[in-house]
């Protein structure tokens, strides 16, 4: 029961994004990270954002009403 209440009150519930588009954007970010091979700050930023987009897409696919 607590899980249902947590999902109903979650701030992520209001996100109106297409999970497939988020995955496409994550793929592009990973390609950009490869282009910046050796520039650790850029690679870390690109891969971090890609990871967030993938996790968000997974959440939306699992919990979308």
């Amino acid at each position: 029961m607590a899980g249902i209440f947590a999902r109903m009150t979650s701030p992520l519930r209001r996100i109106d994004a297409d999970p497939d588009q988020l995955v496409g954007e994550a793929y592009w970010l990973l390609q950009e990270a490869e282009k910046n091979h050796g520039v650790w700050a850029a690679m870390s930023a690109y891969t971090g954002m890609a990871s967030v987009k993938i996790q968000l897409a997974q959440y939306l696919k699992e919990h979308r009403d």
Side-chain angles (χ1 to χ4, degrees):
M1 188 69 158
I4 293 171
F5 180 73
R7 274 188 285 170
M8 288 174 53
T9 60
S10 172
L12 295 175
R13 197 171 153 81
R14 293 184 284 274
I15 294 174
D16 186 30
D18 179 21
D20 295 329
Q21 182 181 357
L22 289 171
V23 171
E25 291 172 6
Y27 180 72
W28 179 84
L29 288 166
L30 292 173
Q31 288 177 324
E32 291 298 311
E34 285 183 26
K35 290 179 189 175
N36 289 288
H37 184 74
V39 182
W40 294 107
M43 290 177 63
S44 179
Y46 283 127
T47 56
M49 284 301 298
S51 177
V52 168
K53 287 181 183 276
I54 293 294
Q55 290 176 11
L56 185 56
Q58 183 178 4
Y59 176 86
L60 291 174
K61 279 197 178 256
E62 291 176 1
H63 301 312
R64 180 88 21 119
D65 293 334

